[in-house]
Amino acid sequence: MPGQAAATVAVRGAFDRHHGTVALYALAGGGLLIAFAMWWLYFTSPAHTLLATTHQAHRRRFLWAYGHFPVFASAAAEGAGLAAYAEHLSDRTGTSSAGAAMAVTVPAAVFVITVWAVHLRPHQQRAAEAVPFAVAAVGILLAAWSPAPALVAGVLLGGLVAVVTTRQRTAAS
């Protein structure tokens, strides 16, 4: 993910200044969970089946291609948000805790919704398959008011990965 390098540098710098607090460990662990879960969710369904030549292929390709702008923008913003939250934890900014936490949670929620809409929804057969994505997005947004927003968001994203993977495996068998 593009913004993860900035987040890594910011978290490392915060660890150097504060020698590791519980909040920084939660941020680092949550950031890893978020990055891994975002990667997994993005690559969970093959794009070639969606983009195969059909009578609706042109429309699907257009929406799929341009729908990636918010997907990639939210992924980059996630890295920047993690970096901003690390700076907040090391008392280098004047932002509020909720404001700094929203820099982590809002991009993650946008990523979940846009990846679902662009990349996963076309593969789904029932409307009920969207429920875990909506629940995860709302939970991730609410994580901004938790003491460890990155960790909570990472755990919620990990839970979403587990649900999606389980559904795919049971559908395949």
Side-chain angles (χ1 to χ4, degrees):
M1 298 291 171
Q4 300 307 329
T8 302
V9 170
V11 171
R12 179 69 205 161
F15 269 108
D16 289 344
R17 286 188 295 278
H18 292 285
H19 303 292
T21 64
V22 173
L24 284 174
Y25 284 112
L27 173 64
L32 281 173
L33 284 171
I34 290 169
F36 293 151
M38 287 170 79
W39 181 88
W40 189 281
L41 287 170
Y42 182 80
F43 288 107
T44 194
S45 292
H48 72 278
T49 58
L50 174 66
L51 301 175
T53 304
T54 65
H55 66 284
Q56 294 180 345
H58 180 69
R59 184 173 152 254
R60 285 184 180 171
R61 285 186 207 123
F62 183 82
L63 293 173
W64 187 84
Y66 285 103
H68 276 77
F69 283 126
V71 171
F72 295 147
S74 61
E78 182 60 40
L82 290 166
Y85 195 73
E87 294 297 317
H88 169 75
L89 290 177
S90 61
D91 296 326
R92 297 186 69 184
T93 64
T95 59
S96 68
S97 292
M102 281 189 233
V104 173
T105 60
V106 171
V110 170
F111 181 86
V112 166
I113 296 303
T114 56
V115 163
W116 170 78
V118 170
H119 203 60
L120 301 173
R121 182 188 52 80
H123 295 281
Q124 295 177 342
Q125 303 297 320
R126 298 173 297 163
E129 294 179 53
V131 172
F133 293 92
V135 169
V138 169
I140 290 167
L141 289 173
L142 292 175
W145 287 274
S146 73
L151 186 59
V152 172
V155 167
L156 288 169
L157 279 165
L160 181 59
V161 166
V163 168
V164 168
T165 303
T166 302
R167 275 193 177 163
Q168 284 181 336
R169 300 224 172 157
T170 55
S173 56

